[in-house]
Amino acid sequence: YICLLFIRKNMKLEKNLDNLKQIAPLVQYAFGKNNDLLHDDNFMSRYDHSDGYGFFNDKKLTSYIMVNKFKSEVFGHHVPMAGIGYVASYPEYRGQGHISKLMKEILKDLHDQDIPFTNLAPFSESFYRHYGFSNSIYQKEYRFSGSALRAFKLPRTGHVIRGKWNDLMVQNGVIQLYERQLHTDDERNTVIRQAWWWNRMDSYYHNRNIAVYIDADGRPISYLIYRIHGNVFLADELYSITAKGLICLLGFMGSHAGAIKEFRMILPEHSLIGELFPEQNQLHISLHPYMMSRIIDFAIMVTYMKPLQEGTFNVEVISDDQCPWNIGVWQITNQAGQVSCKQIEDGLVDYSGPITAWTQVFLGRLSMRDAVKLGLITDYRIKKLDFKKGDVSFYDYF
């Protein structure tokens, strides 16, 4: 008898200087960075809070993926989430399946760590669909000239404070408003930002300014994070708890109109701020795919969802190449707002689809009805099932 022993090769990298000295030049080359990442505080802060996976060829690191672990707000739950980034290979080693091997190990490790889903910003959507990712988060972009802001004025009551992230008054106002929205239970897949991540975001985007509108009672009502590049005003984040707060910050933007040729605002997909403009034909509005998501553990993710109907439903995951533990029929029970999920062997199936389609329904913008109409989900019975969609109010880049 011949016994063949197959040993799974561990591609998770140890945190040591030798590995870092190979990771940095690979990322530099793959992403066209001109600076030495070993001395780049932005890169190192993310590296220090990451797990790394790499593939070696003759002791040379040829492919690499970085994984950062966050908590994400999912309908009132603080859910562990992994942000995948810096997916890199040297060009002479591409197409050899190294990234596929790394991705498969990452997904298995995250599953073992009870991290039920992951997000990434794709360089190619079709590439990541091979690994079970689906489009889930979109951005709405507004472009307009200063003339579109003529109707908006600076506030007559309260005041706007302007400064940098290291200004504690500004920082506290932003964090209060950000966390207020996270406590609404309406967020579908929004990062709960830790201090190190806030600080990295500030240093990653050079020359960011922040304006916070404070009302007459001294309460922060709205904030704007923006950059000015030449004669272009870039609003990276705009959030308000009242309509007046939005109007006041639009007035603040309008006060720059004399020196600015173009204004750009990047806002959530559900933003309706265009309705406040008296001449909407001056706005150029476009929608862009931003992040992709991937359900790693279907049974866990179901329990964080908000079904709109009470009862028991049988749903099927018909395919998942990287996470085969998701395949099968799952019985979802929703009673008095409590959702449970268990795998069953027998039972009539109400809905079925691949993991990519379930990701679009749970973490993306598709309703069950839309997914069925598009042929992504198949319905077999007359039971009605749909899920609360929620919003993604803030954007983060991994």
Side-chain angles (χ1 to χ4, degrees):
Y1 294 91
I2 299 175
C3 179
L4 297 179
L5 179 63
F6 292 92
I7 301 175
R8 175 176 175 243
K9 185 177 180 182
N10 187 355
M11 289 175 277
K12 186 174 181 179
L13 303 177
E14 292 183 10
K15 281 279 183 67
N16 58 49
L17 186 58
D18 288 339
N19 282 337
L20 180 57
K21 285 182 176 179
Q22 292 217 54
I23 292 168
L26 171 53
V27 172
Q28 285 172 218
Y29 187 92
F31 290 90
K33 296 182 180 291
N34 298 320
N35 54 318
D36 181 0
L37 295 184
L38 291 173
H39 299 94
D40 185 312
D41 290 340
N42 275 311
F43 177 80
M44 289 305 302
S45 68
R46 185 168 170 185
Y47 172 80
D48 289 339
H49 292 86
S50 74
D51 291 328
Y53 291 77
F55 193 95
F56 287 86
N57 191 306
D58 294 331
K59 298 184 178 181
K60 177 182 179 181
L61 183 68
T62 59
S63 298
Y64 174 73
I65 299 178
M66 179 182 285
V67 180
N68 295 97
K69 295 170 186 173
F70 300 92
K71 290 288 183 69
S72 185
E73 187 73 17
V74 181
F75 300 121
H77 302 279
H78 289 17
V79 182
M81 180 272 291
I84 293 178
Y86 288 128
V87 180
S89 294
Y90 284 116
E92 62 269 28
Y93 293 99
R94 291 172 188 164
Q96 299 182 26
H98 298 169
I99 293 298
S100 295
K101 293 175 181 177
L102 294 178
M103 192 68 75
K104 192 165 188 176
E105 179 161 339
I106 288 169
L107 294 174
K108 176 63 168 62
D109 283 357
L110 294 175
H111 177 254
D112 292 344
Q113 297 163 23
D114 294 325
I115 297 176
F117 77 107
T118 180
N119 294 321
L120 58 77
F123 69 87
S124 166
E125 295 169 31
S126 58
F127 177 82
Y128 286 110
R129 285 197 186 96
H130 289 302
Y131 305 115
F133 286 83
S134 298
N135 291 94
S136 58
I137 301 175
Y138 293 75
Q139 291 180 327
K140 185 178 285 187
E141 181 180 18
Y142 295 82
R143 294 190 179 205
F144 48 89
S145 66
S147 60
L149 294 167
R150 287 174 182 166
F152 305 105
K153 307 298 180 184
L154 287 168
R156 293 185 177 181
T157 59
H159 61 285
V160 174
I161 58 173
R162 179 184 55 82
K164 300 289 187 178
W165 180 247
N166 58 8
D167 183 325
L168 291 182
M169 285 188 63
V170 167
Q171 188 178 127
N172 289 337
V174 171
I175 291 177
Q176 281 185 51
L177 291 166
Y178 180 87
E179 293 186 350
R180 184 185 189 278
Q181 179 60 28
L182 293 189
H183 285 85
T184 62
D185 294 350
D186 290 330
E187 297 302 303
R188 182 177 74 237
N189 179 5
T190 303
V191 173
I192 299 170
R193 295 170 180 167
Q194 297 177 326
W196 77 270
W197 188 248
W198 274 112
N199 292 333
R200 183 186 182 277
M201 288 172 60
D202 180 63
S203 59
Y204 184 82
Y205 299 99
H206 299 297
N207 303 317
R208 295 219 308 186
N209 298 282
I210 303 173
V212 180
Y213 168 60
I214 308 294
D215 71 5
D217 296 321
R219 299 172 300 184
I221 300 298
S222 56
Y223 75 80
L224 169 70
I225 300 176
Y226 67 98
R227 295 171 282 162
I228 297 176
H229 286 175
N231 56 8
V232 178
F233 187 107
L234 304 173
D236 293 321
E237 201 163 289
L238 172 61
Y239 175 74
S240 178
I241 60 175
T242 68
K244 182 178 179 180
L246 287 176
I247 292 170
C248 288
L249 289 182
L250 289 172
F252 174 79
M253 291 173 61
S255 67
H256 295 75
I260 297 297
K261 180 179 180 180
E262 182 181 43
F263 291 84
R264 299 179 193 170
M265 297 190 298
I266 303 296
L267 297 178
E269 179 185 7
H270 63 270
S271 168
L272 296 175
I273 198 172
E275 300 297 324
L276 297 175
F277 286 75
E279 296 290 340
Q280 293 186 30
N281 61 4
Q282 294 182 339
L283 308 177
H284 299 277
I285 306 172
S286 55
L287 192 67
H288 309 287
Y290 184 60
M291 298 291 281
M292 300 182 82
S293 300
R294 206 248 194 255
I295 293 175
I296 299 171
D297 195 315
F298 182 88
I300 293 178
M301 282 308 302
V302 168
T303 64
Y304 298 127
M305 297 297 106
K306 298 290 185 183
L308 300 180
Q309 295 83 14
E310 288 204 344
T312 299
F313 308 88
N314 296 336
V315 303
E316 183 180 21
V317 179
I318 59 175
S319 63
D320 191 339
D321 293 338
Q322 279 72 36
C323 303
W325 50 82
N326 287 326
I327 297 174
V329 179
W330 302 90
Q331 188 170 86
I332 302 171
T333 301
N334 178 36
Q335 295 292 343
Q338 296 298 311
V339 182
S340 62
C341 180
K342 65 180 180 179
Q343 194 163 24
I344 60 174
E345 296 297 328
D346 300 307
L348 295 175
V349 173
D350 298 306
Y351 296 89
S352 70
I355 196 65
T356 48
W358 288 113
T359 298
Q360 288 172 280
V361 170
F362 288 176
L363 295 171
R365 58 181 179 166
L366 285 188
S367 67
M368 285 283 282
R369 180 184 178 186
D370 290 338
V372 169
K373 287 175 65 176
L374 291 169
L376 301 172
I377 295 286
T378 302
D379 61 337
Y380 297 99
R381 304 173 67 195
I382 60 173
K383 280 191 175 181
K384 298 299 181 185
L385 174 64
D386 213 330
F387 299 88
K388 179 179 178 179
K389 294 316 303 171
D391 299 315
V392 179
S393 298
F394 307 98
Y395 295 122
D396 293 84
Y397 185 85
F398 313 116

